[in-house]
Amino acid sequence: MGELYKKRAPAFRTVMMGAGTILVEFLLVLLISTVLFDFHLSWAIEDMINTMMDPFKNAADSTIGTGLGSNLVWSPEMIQQFSSLTVRLLPFTLIVCSLIMAAVTQAISRPTLGSMGLIVPKMPAFRNWRLPRSLIWYYLLCLILNMLGGAAISEGFLGTILVNLMPLLQFLFMIQAASLFFFIAYQRKWNPVLPILLVIAMVFIPFLPLWIVGIADIAFPLRDMITKSKR
C-alpha cells in the first residue's frame, strides 16, 4: 500500500491490493503454523466451540429424563453442525477481515501522510459507491446451484465455495444498501441519524433483509430516479 501511495494510485485499487496482501499473509501464517508447529486452526476452532458449548450440552443431558431437554436449542448434534459450519466459513472470515484491515489502514494513513506533505488520493464519498453489476449474476448462479445441487453440492468442495461466496456477496450488497441510504439522506437533506439507524437495523435484524436494497441499487438506476424526482 505504501508503494501505491508513492505512485498516487487510486484509493480503491490501493485498498484492494492491501486487502489481497493481508489475505496472503494470513494464509502464509496458517501454512507456517501448520507445517512447523503442527497447529491446525480448524481443530482449534472446533475445540474452542465445543468447550464453549459444553455447559449447554451438559444441561441437555441432565434434563433428558425430565422432558425439558427438547426445549434446549443447543443439542450435541447442533453444536457439531455449528462447529463444522464455523470452520467452513473460515475463508469468508479471512476475506472480510482483510478488507476491514485494509480500509482501516487507508483511513489512518491518508490523514497521517497528508500531515507529512504527501498527498494521497482519497476514496469516493461513501454515498457515491457503486459496486459492479456482475455481482448480481454471481449471486443468481449461487442460488441456482444451491437449489439444483441438493445435499451432494452442499457437502463437497463446491459447497464450501458456495457457503463462503453467498455471505460474502450478501456482505457486499449490505455495503451497497448502506451507500444508498446515505445517498438518499444526502439528497433529501434527512437527519444523518436515519441512515445510521437503517444500517444498524440491517446488521442486527437478520429477518429484515434490507441488503436486498443493495441488489436493487446495483441492478436499477435508483439514484437517477431519486435525483430526477428531486428536481
Side-chain angles (χ1 to χ4, degrees), residues 132-179:
R133 186 169 294 181
S134 57
L135 295 178
I136 298 177
W137 298 109
Y138 297 147
Y139 188 71
L140 288 176
L141 179 60
C142 291
L143 289 178
I144 293 173
L145 290 175
N146 273 328
M147 289 188 296
L148 301 181
I153 284 185
S154 62
E155 296 176 358
F157 177 74
L158 182 57
T160 301
I161 296 177
L162 293 177
V163 164
N164 288 275
L165 189 57
M166 290 286 284
L168 179 60
L169 290 172
Q170 291 179 5
F171 174 75
L172 295 176
F173 293 146
M174 289 174 66
I175 293 177
Q176 186 64 55
S179 173

Side-chain angles (χ1 to χ4, degrees), residues 10 44 48 53 66 88 99 104 117 170 230:
M48 180 183 66
M53 296 301 177
T66 64
R88 295 185 73 187
L99 288 171
V104 171
Q170 291 179 5
K230 179 184 176 182

